């Protein structure tokens, strides 16, 4: 029979230790839990943006179509995302566009404004952004290649695999 206790250590890591009924103690298992996000998913008719941590990196998945009906919500989400990334002291962020099928120029302009806010932030508050594109949707790479020129030291682009 064993007793399991859970808690956080001084570094914020999750700790679990087991104690066997006979009094012997198994080694502790430490696992860093992702910080809690204060920004939630955005779902509108035709577009969803879902922020989450994946492998110690903040990832935002866009699905659907970013058209004129979603422009204001999209712009607001990017402002909140920037504040949240700075609060969490994120160093890398990924924008996964593999399921984004259309984006208007006004929504692309929202990316321009967001990128400018990252670039203009103090160095200790800046973070890099990798745009993950769908190789079958050629418009993504074509449009994002232009965006990358705004801040090549902070922005990158990669194609999704598999």
């Amino acid at each position: 029979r064993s007793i399991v206790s859970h808690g956080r250590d001084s570094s914020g890591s999750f700790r679990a230790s087991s104690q066997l009924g006979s009094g012997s103690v198994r080694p502790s298992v430490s696992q860093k839990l992702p910080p809690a996000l204060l920004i939630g998913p955005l779902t509108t008719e035709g577009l969803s943006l879902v922020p989450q941590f994946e492998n110690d990196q903040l990832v935002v998945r866009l699905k659907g179509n970013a058209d004129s009906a979603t422009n204001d919500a999209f712009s607001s989400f990017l402002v909140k995302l920037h504040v949240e990334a700075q609060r969490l002291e994120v160093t890398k962020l990924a924008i996964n566009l593999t399921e984004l099928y259309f984006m208007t120029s006004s929504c692309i302009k929202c990316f321009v404004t967001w990128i400018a806010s990252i670039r203009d932030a103090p160095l200790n508050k800046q973070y890099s952004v990798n745009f993950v594109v769908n190789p079958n949707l050629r418009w993504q790479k074509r449009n994002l290649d232009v965006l990358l020129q705004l801040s090549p030291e902070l922005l990158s682009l990669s194609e999704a695999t598999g």
Side-chain angles (χ1 to χ4, degrees):
R1 191 174 156 179
S2 66
I3 301 167
V4 178
S5 62
H6 301 279
R8 292 186 184 270
D9 64 15
S10 60
S11 71
S13 295
F14 179 74
R15 298 184 60 78
S17 62
S18 312
Q19 185 173 13
L20 298 176
S22 64
S24 60
V25 176
R26 289 186 193 156
S28 293
V29 177
S30 263
Q31 176 184 7
K32 186 85 172 174
L33 292 177
L37 287 171
L38 297 181
I39 181 175
L42 167 70
T43 304
T44 65
E45 189 174 327
L47 178 68
S48 73
L49 295 96
V50 179
Q52 61 190 38
F53 277 94
E54 296 177 11
N55 302 320
D56 295 326
Q57 180 179 3
L58 183 54
V59 176
V60 179
R61 294 184 178 281
L62 283 75
K63 295 180 182 179
N65 297 300
D67 55 27
S68 57
T70 64
N71 187 62
D72 290 342
F74 184 62
S75 176
S76 177
F77 180 88
L78 290 176
V79 169
K80 292 174 187 173
L81 178 64
H82 181 61
V83 169
E84 186 68 354
Q86 289 185 321
R87 181 187 74 82
L88 295 173
E89 299 178 350
V90 166
T91 57
K92 294 179 183 176
L93 191 144
I95 301 292
N96 187 316
L97 304 171
T98 57
E99 294 183 65
L100 183 71
Y101 300 104
F102 175 76
M103 180 174 267
T104 63
S105 59
S106 58
C107 286
I108 291 172
K109 170 94 171 58
C110 294
F111 272 145
V112 170
T113 303
W114 175 57
I115 291 165
S117 67
I118 298 167
R119 185 191 59 217
D120 296 343
L123 286 177
N124 65 335
K125 295 289 189 176
Q126 292 181 359
Y127 47 93
S128 64
V129 178
N130 180 46
F131 291 95
V132 181
V133 298
N134 182 333
N136 297 318
L137 299 173
R138 294 185 190 147
W139 69 266
Q140 291 181 347
K141 186 174 185 317
R142 191 173 48 247
N143 284 292
L144 291 171
D145 275 340
V146 174
L147 282 182
L148 297 181
Q149 302 309 308
L150 294 172
S151 192
E153 68 281 2
L154 294 174
L155 305 175
S156 61
L157 184 133
S158 61
E159 290 186 352
T161 56

